[in-house]
Amino acid sequence: MKKTARAALRPDGRKPGPRAEPPRAADRIRRSAQDLFYRQGIRAVGVDAIVAEAGVTKPSLYRSFASKDELAAAYLRDYEHEFWRRFDAAAAVHPDDPRAQVLAYFTGLAERTGQPGYRGCGLTNACVEYPEPEHPARRVAVANKRKVRERLVDLARRMGARDPEALGDGLQLLLEGAYVSSQMLGPEGPVRHLADVAARLIDASVE
């Protein structure tokens, strides 16, 4: 009688589950681009480096993305998604307290600047790299900054600020300053006072 092959057991004695599908080429390209673009800058990273890191071919890249510029825009859309995830997570901890929502995000940001490899905001960095208004990467970055401004002004309004636009703009200036100064002076520089300065600005602006 013919014996059927038995599936090898896992080290813990359980049967293995269904084999996971390997990541698609487009996903590997996107992840590799995200890592390289953030660490080294978008302009500094060539297509050859991306495909080598992803373990794919150039035709695979161009089947998924029309150009490096479009890949850069995709990277920034992914980055923006992660930004809002963090911002909304901080807000969710204080659902009825807009002041605490802002300070929670600013506190978390100051802590992240001390993590290895921190290079500020990828969206801000893209604006510096690409001054051309119609560049796909810049358009994604600028759209995000406008949304952030609207969100901060709305939070300032909910706080009861005398001039919500002025407070929202002030908070955004602090945010952008933290992204840049932390890259130059590290977590022990001005960014360590980020939440405290924001709190003082809010308290001076609210009725």
Side-chain angles (χ1 to χ4, degrees), residues 37 42-43 68-77 80 121-147 176:
F37 284 161
I42 299 172
R43 286 191 183 275
K68 179 188 168 184
D69 288 346
E70 290 302 324
L71 177 56
Y75 148 65
L76 292 172
R77 285 191 289 270
E80 179 182 26
C121 174
L123 294 148
T124 298
N125 296 346
C127 284
V128 175
E129 287 197 82
Y130 292 100
E132 308 93 332
E134 296 306 312
H135 191 281
R138 185 180 179 89
R139 290 174 67 180
V140 174
V142 170
N144 167 263
K145 300 303 179 181
R146 286 177 176 151
K147 289 179 188 175
E176 295 298 328

Side-chain angles (χ1 to χ4, degrees), residues 2-25:
K2 186 177 180 180
K3 294 183 179 180
T4 57
R6 297 179 61 187
L9 297 179
R10 292 176 7 180
D12 59 7
R14 295 165 56 195
K15 291 183 179 180
R19 184 172 297 176
E21 291 293 327
R24 296 185 309 123

Side-chain angles (χ1 to χ4, degrees), residues 84-113:
W84 285 119
R85 186 194 66 76
R86 285 182 173 140
F87 198 100
D88 291 339
V93 178
H94 308 281
D96 301 314
D97 189 341
R99 179 182 184 275
Q101 290 178 21
V102 170
L103 298 183
Y105 180 76
F106 279 28
T107 298
L109 171 60
E111 293 171 353
R112 286 197 303 280
T113 64

